[in-house]
């Protein structure tokens, strides 16, 4: 066993996290759900979502059989919604191609939609005690500092080098404790900002610490100014209900319910008359809301409209819901924020 692995396992046994809900099982489905939720999301934010999700979808079969809308509703607020759509798709694949049993083969696991090499490795270790290593964001940071690896870890050549290091450090025994230790070490000790180097058991072998480069490693992604986009969201209301539109599966907020949109150059009342056959009048405008995505910032102008005429038949991707039901639906977070703000004075 490498010195690093030995120290890490010892550290994890004393200082690591042992009481997270998904740590109390070796069910590959439960491990899979937790690993997908933990992608780009803090542990503290995941716990509540995980518990509610597992209560509603306790098995692969229950997830596969559910309507996508219900899956998205239980994911709403976690962000990166393609994760939920991919997991729903993968559950159906498992039912159809693997007899409802989560596959144990490492390569086969990676064929499931939304599961990459690192996630497959975590499932293989925690559910099946297989000898695999992970390389998530926390682990990349730890190894980049430990071996003073220059370059942004998102670059293919840098990531390849980190994978080689990760594989070389892998112990023969104690895999679950070692991999959990990697996660915990990066999340709680070797953090992005203000790492706790004074209490780190790896001081003597950490090249970044010896070279006084901890703050510079790993290298940051080259920054570009985020472009800004604008959209008007229509809050069409009638008799205590609001009109929602399901977004396409592709693109931002794919598969979620949202508000009908139009470009800032279009005028709301005639647009709604022409496109939906709805007669409306404008209500008091709500404040502009900004929402930041990974690649751009979105300026949302909410435009409330009161229906004044009859309700014509709607296309299948639209529905009327009460304001309370709308808030509880599978909505993007900023859309929920807008409806809550509207409901306060009008609801």
């Amino acid at each position: 066993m490498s010195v690093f692995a030995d120290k890490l396992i010892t550290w994890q046994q004393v200082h690591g996290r042992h009481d997270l809900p998904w740590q109390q099982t070796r069910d590959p489905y439960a491990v899979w759900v937790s690993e997908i939720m933990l992608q780009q999301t803090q542990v503290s934010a995941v716990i509540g979502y995980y518990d509610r999700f597992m209560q509603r979808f306790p098995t692969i079969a229950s997830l596969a059989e559910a309507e996508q809308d219900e899956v998205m509703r239980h994911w709403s607020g976690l962000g990166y919604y393609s994760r939920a759509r991919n997991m729903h798709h993968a559950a159906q694949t498992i039912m159809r191609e693997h007899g409802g049993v989560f596959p144990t083969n490492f390569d086969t696991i990676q064929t499931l939609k939304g599961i990459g090499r690192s996630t497959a490795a975590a499932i293989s270790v925690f559910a099946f005690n297989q000898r695999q290593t992970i390389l998530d964001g926390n682990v990349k940071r730890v190894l980049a500092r430990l071996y003073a690896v220059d370059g942004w870890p998102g670059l293919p050549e840098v990531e390849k080098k980190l994978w080689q290091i990760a594989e070389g450090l892998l112990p023969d025994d104690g895999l679950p404790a070692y991999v959990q230790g990697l996660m915990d070490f990066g999340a709680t000790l070797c953090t992005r900002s203000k790492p706790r180097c004074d209490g780190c058991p790896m001081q003597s072998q950490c090249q970044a610490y010896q070279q006084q480069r901890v703050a510079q490693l790993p290298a940051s992604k080259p920054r570009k100014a985020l472009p800004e986009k604008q959209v008007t969201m229509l809050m069409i209301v009638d008799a205590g209900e609001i009109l929602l539109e399901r977004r396409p599966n592709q693109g931002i907020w794919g598969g979620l319910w949202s508000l009908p949109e139009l470009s800032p150059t279009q005028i709301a009342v005639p647009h709604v008359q022409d496109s939906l056959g709805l007669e409306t009048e404008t209500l008091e405008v709500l404040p502009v809301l900004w929402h930041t995505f990974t690649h751009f910032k979105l300026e949302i102008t909410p435009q409330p409209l009161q229906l004044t005429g009859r309700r014509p038949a709607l296309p299948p991707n639209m529905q009327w819901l009460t304001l309370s039901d709308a808030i509880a639906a599978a909505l993007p977070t900023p859309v929920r924020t807008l409806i809550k703000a509207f409901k306060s004075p009008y609801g």
Side-chain angles (χ1 to χ4, degrees):
M1 183 181 296
S2 69
V3 173
F4 173 77
D6 189 26
K7 287 183 177 180
L8 185 65
I9 290 173
T10 300
W11 177 89
Q12 197 278 332
Q13 290 170 343
V14 177
H15 302 287
R17 296 174 292 197
H18 302 275
D19 57 354
L20 298 174
W22 48 86
Q23 292 178 314
Q24 314 310 314
T25 178
R26 294 186 63 177
D27 174 11
Y29 170 65
V31 175
W32 171 38
V33 171
S34 70
E35 290 298 323
I36 297 298
M37 286 189 171
L38 288 167
Q39 293 173 357
Q40 300 173 304
T41 309
Q42 296 289 330
V43 169
S44 58
V46 164
I47 293 175
Y49 280 94
Y50 174 84
D51 288 338
R52 291 189 292 272
F53 195 92
M54 293 303 293
Q55 287 175 5
R56 172 56 189 88
F57 310 109
T59 63
I60 295 173
S62 63
L63 177 59
E65 293 166 0
E67 295 293 330
Q68 178 178 285
D69 188 47
E70 187 172 11
V71 176
M72 301 304 287
R73 182 166 62 84
H74 281 77
W75 198 275
S76 180
L78 263 180
Y80 299 96
Y81 295 97
S82 62
R83 295 182 295 174
R85 294 195 304 273
N86 289 342
M87 193 160 61
H88 187 220
H89 181 279
Q92 294 173 336
T93 300
I94 293 171
M95 296 302 297
R96 183 177 62 253
E97 299 181 8
H98 302 283
V101 178
F102 197 96
T104 60
N105 180 271
F106 179 64
D107 293 330
T108 303
I109 294 173
Q110 292 182 76
T111 66
L112 297 173
K113 196 167 185 178
I115 298 183
R117 179 178 175 183
S118 188
T119 299
I123 297 169
S124 297
V125 170
F126 294 132
F128 308 124
N129 199 32
Q130 295 177 4
R131 193 173 184 269
Q132 300 290 343
T133 190
I134 64 169
L135 193 68
D136 63 9
N138 282 330
V139 180
K140 289 179 180 179
R141 180 170 61 253
V142 170
L143 298 184
R145 286 172 175 168
L146 192 70
Y147 287 88
V149 177
D150 290 307
W152 175 50
L155 295 173
E157 62 271 22
V158 179
E159 186 174 47
K160 180 180 179 181
K161 184 174 183 179
L162 292 172
W163 270 116
Q164 291 171 343
I165 292 171
E167 290 171 343
L169 293 172
L170 199 59
D172 292 324
D173 301 307
L175 268 301
Y178 173 77
V179 171
Q180 186 63 53
L182 280 175
M183 295 177 174
D184 295 347
F185 191 82
T188 65
L189 196 71
C190 192
T191 52
R192 183 180 302 277
S193 60
K194 299 181 180 179
R196 295 160 49 199
C197 295
D198 289 345
C200 178
M202 309 300 175
Q203 263 189 28
S204 62
Q205 61 188 117
C206 178
Q207 294 182 30
Y209 182 78
Q210 302 299 330
Q211 299 170 14
Q212 298 183 347
R213 299 177 61 204
V214 173
Q216 286 76 49
L217 293 174
S220 300
K221 181 180 181 180
R223 293 200 173 190
K224 296 180 181 179
L226 288 179
E228 296 180 357
K229 300 181 181 181
Q230 294 78 36
V231 69
T232 298
M233 289 192 173
L234 303 176
M235 309 183 74
I236 306 170
V237 294
D238 175 49
E241 295 185 329
I242 190 166
L243 185 63
L244 296 182
E245 181 177 29
R246 190 196 295 275
R247 297 184 64 87
N249 279 337
Q250 304 303 317
I252 62 168
W253 300 327
L256 297 184
W257 289 96
S258 189
L259 298 166
E261 297 180 4
L262 71 163
S263 70
T265 60
Q266 294 175 298
I267 302 174
V269 170
H271 171 80
V272 170
Q273 173 69 56
D274 293 342
S275 62
L276 299 176
L278 299 177
E279 297 179 8
T280 60
E281 61 182 16
T282 58
L283 297 173
E284 183 178 349
V285 177
L286 294 175
V288 166
L289 178 66
W290 283 91
H291 186 74
T292 302
F293 294 92
T294 306
H295 302 297
F296 67 94
K297 295 175 67 175
L298 183 63
E299 181 187 35
I300 303 172
T301 300
Q303 176 59 68
L305 298 171
Q306 174 65 55
L307 186 70
T308 58
R310 64 180 182 84
R311 289 189 186 182
L314 293 173
N317 65 326
M318 304 189 81
Q319 66 173 334
W320 292 95
L321 287 180
T322 66
L323 294 175
S324 295
D325 286 344
I327 290 170
L331 303 178
T333 297
V335 174
R336 181 175 288 107
T337 298
L338 290 177
I339 296 177
K340 285 182 176 179
F342 181 84
K343 185 176 185 294
S344 181
Y346 292 103

